[in-house]
Amino acid sequence: MSSTSRIASIRSIIEQEQRPIGARAEALVAEIRHKHQGIDKALLFYGSSLRAGEASGKMLDFYVLVDSYRDVHGLGLKQFGSFLAPPSVHYCEAEGPDGERLRSKYSIVSLSAFRRRARGGALESMLWARFAQPTLLICEDPDLRADLLDTLAHATHHFLSETAPLLNGDREDTAIWERGLMESYNTELRPEDAVGRSKQIVAKHADRCQAMAAAMFAPGKASGSIFVPDRGPLRRNLCRARWFTRRIVGKPMGAFRVLKAFFTFDAGLDYVLEKIKSHSGAEIEVSDHARKYPLLHAPVLAWRLFRKGAFK
């Protein structure tokens, strides 16, 4: 099967899983669009809040695609920082359908950067591994929607292609997803255990992972298995080298994005601490001064969190 046929099969799966985003997400999308006066081209709803469902009470995660960072930030350091290391991270709240307070973390990235990076045009796995996972599109332009479905399909194809050389022979059809997500999580600054987190996500979407694997690879001899052809030692070692390089590059870039987020993300420090607590159980008290000047206190806070076992 050609790569074009595989991508078409993956795209069909992604298109079939599109559905309404739910009333809570709609309320936040409306607030995000109001906040930025309609400069978005499309939004993507993803992450743990999507996986957990409508009534989870989690902070919702979106990507907001725009034509230009200048439309969002104007000229200056914020625009340059977003261009250098997208995305820029923002925060908003909205009132839910039952009057509850809804919270959102949303990342702004240019449409051109998203298409290029998510389709595999970036060494970092952050975008193409993230959007190989379940994603709902919010886009009224049918041509752009079709293009974004293609982009998500390419992201999944690239993710599986970058993982396949690490495996060979008959494998369980979910094994390639567990290995790929583990490798990707190991390139990021994440508080949770990469192996446990990858297994948890794959188990949540086992049917989807199996369908995607079947679209990419020939069936194995056993039921529920796929056959991953041996790429040979050269391609296998090159693949390992790329994942090693991603770990070297990814963590400093992640740290830079966290520092950059302090300039755009209201309540950024509290969000980071909440996220770390939910994933690792590590918790520290912070002063009002630290909340007001997070960059000044960042080294001490990072050391305290490290001592508590927040980072793997």
Side-chain angles (χ1 to χ4, degrees), residues 192-209:
E192 68 268 55
D193 172 64
V195 175
R197 185 61 170 163
S198 63
K199 288 181 178 294
Q200 182 185 41
I201 291 175
V202 171
K204 177 76 174 178
H205 298 285
D207 290 345
R208 181 184 193 271
C209 293

Side-chain angles (χ1 to χ4, degrees), residues 1-4 6-7 10 119-120 128-129 132 153-167 176-177 179-180 212-213 215-217 226 228-229 231 235-236 238-240 242-243 246:
M1 185 186 296
S2 68
S3 60
T4 301
R6 291 194 292 268
I7 291 170
I10 291 169
R119 287 173 178 247
W128 43 263
H154 278 274
T156 305
H157 182 270
H158 187 72
F159 169 78
L160 294 173
S161 298
E162 283 294 285
T163 308
L166 303 176
L167 309 170
I176 191 165
W177 281 90
R179 179 63 183 270
M212 293 291 193
M216 277 286 293
F217 304 99
I226 55 172
V228 183
R231 265 63 173 187
R235 290 187 65 181
R236 186 161 50 250
L238 286 173
C239 183
R240 288 171 176 165
R242 286 194 299 274
W243 281 111
R246 289 179 187 118

Side-chain angles (χ1 to χ4, degrees), residues 13-52:
I13 295 170
I14 296 170
E15 188 167 15
Q16 291 172 21
E17 67 188 9
Q18 297 301 302
R19 56 177 172 78
I21 61 175
R24 296 172 70 250
E26 285 178 356
L28 283 163
V29 167
E31 181 62 28
I32 291 169
R33 284 178 158 169
H34 174 74
K35 186 175 179 180
H36 294 287
Q37 297 300 313
I39 64 171
D40 68 280
K41 307 298 290 184
L43 288 88
L44 299 95
F45 181 28
Y46 74 101
S48 59
S49 56
L50 173 59
R51 293 191 294 268

Side-chain angles (χ1 to χ4, degrees), residues 123-238:
L123 174 67
E124 283 185 279
S125 62
M126 182 183 72
L127 275 183
W128 43 263
R130 179 162 293 155
F131 289 102
Q133 300 173 57
T135 304
L136 298 181
L137 296 175
I138 303 104
C139 180
E140 290 75 28
D141 182 333
D143 292 333
L144 179 55
R145 183 180 180 85
D147 182 76
L148 290 173
L149 285 170
D150 288 341
T151 298
L152 295 178
H154 278 274
T156 305
H157 182 270
H158 187 72
F159 169 78
L160 294 173
S161 298
E162 283 294 285
T163 308
L166 303 176
L167 309 170
N168 63 78
D170 278 14
R171 298 281 181 158
E172 289 187 18
D173 45 19
T174 55
I176 191 165
W177 281 90
E178 290 180 359
R179 179 63 183 270
L181 290 175
M182 180 201 72
E183 294 288 349
S184 181
Y185 288 149
N186 278 331
T187 70
E188 300 180 28
L189 285 173
R190 301 184 69 91
E192 68 268 55
D193 172 64
V195 175
R197 185 61 170 163
S198 63
K199 288 181 178 294
Q200 182 185 41
I201 291 175
V202 171
K204 177 76 174 178
H205 298 285
D207 290 345
R208 181 184 193 271
C209 293
Q210 290 163 357
M212 293 291 193
M216 277 286 293
F217 304 99
K221 295 179 181 178
S223 175
S225 70
I226 55 172
F227 178 75
V228 183
D230 189 348
R231 265 63 173 187
L234 177 60
R235 290 187 65 181
R236 186 161 50 250
N237 288 332
L238 286 173

Side-chain angles (χ1 to χ4, degrees), residues 69-83:
Y69 296 120
R70 184 175 180 178
D71 294 338
V72 183
H73 303 301
L75 290 172
L77 287 176
K78 289 183 180 180
Q79 179 198 18
F80 179 71
S82 295
F83 172 79

